[in-house]
Structures are given as C-alpha cells and as structure tokens.
C-alpha cells in the first residue's frame, strides 16, 4: 500500500506548527513538498525524515516587523 498525499493543513497538525512556518520552510529550508496544481502536497514520511535531519532547526531570522519610529518635532 502506498502512502497517501497529505495537505499543508495535515502537516500543520502533524508537526504542531503554524501554517506560515510550513510555507517558509518549503521556500528557505527545503521542506520536501510537491506542488500539484495550486496545492502543496506532502508525504509525512518525507516530512518526518526532514525534521529528524534538523531541517526545521531554529536559526531563522525574525520576520516580525518592527514599528516605524515616529520623529517628533521640537516646539
């Protein structure tokens, strides 16, 4: 029996992470994913092997945006 394809939502649940992390890892860290049409599909065994090989290890730059500094005029 072959392993079924999983959706991004199923990978989110499987790993317990945010969906944004999944797409960021595909782009920047090589998370094994296959694009079928407009959808990303995954084999959970490949995802697990990637995690075990430290693919999801921290070392990410923060993507949070800092609020712009407001210049105050002196009176």
């Amino acid at each position: 029996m072959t392993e079924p394809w999983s959706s991004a939502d199923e990978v989110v649940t499987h790993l317990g992470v945010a969906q944004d992390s999944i797409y960021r890892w595909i782009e920047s860290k090589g998370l094994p994913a296959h694009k079928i049409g407009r959808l990303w599909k995954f084999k959970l065994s490949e995802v697990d092997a990637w995690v075990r090989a430290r693919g999801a290890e921290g070392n990410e730059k923060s993507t949070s945006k800092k609020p712009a500094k407001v210049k105050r005029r002196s009176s």
Side-chain angles (χ1 to χ4, degrees), residues 28-73:
S28 65
K29 294 190 172 262
L31 175 66
H34 306 273
K35 194 154 193 182
I36 301 173
R38 294 174 51 197
L39 303 174
W40 285 102
K41 294 294 182 173
F42 307 82
K43 295 287 187 171
L44 292 181
S45 61
E46 292 176 357
V47 171
D48 288 341
W50 179 81
V51 169
R52 283 188 200 100
R54 297 181 167 196
E57 197 170 67
N59 302 338
E60 291 185 37
K61 291 181 181 177
S62 175
T63 58
S64 63
K65 295 182 180 179
K66 294 181 182 177
K69 290 184 180 180
V70 177
K71 289 186 178 181
R72 296 184 184 190
R73 290 190 276 177

Side-chain angles (χ1 to χ4, degrees), residues 4-44:
W5 290 99
S6 298
S7 68
D9 288 336
E10 292 170 316
V11 175
V12 164
T13 301
H14 182 71
L15 294 179
V17 298
Q19 193 169 32
D20 289 345
S21 295
I22 298 299
Y23 294 118
R24 188 172 53 250
W25 292 342
I26 291 169
E27 186 177 313
S28 65
K29 294 190 172 262
L31 175 66
H34 306 273
K35 194 154 193 182
I36 301 173
R38 294 174 51 197
L39 303 174
W40 285 102
K41 294 294 182 173
F42 307 82
K43 295 287 187 171
L44 292 181

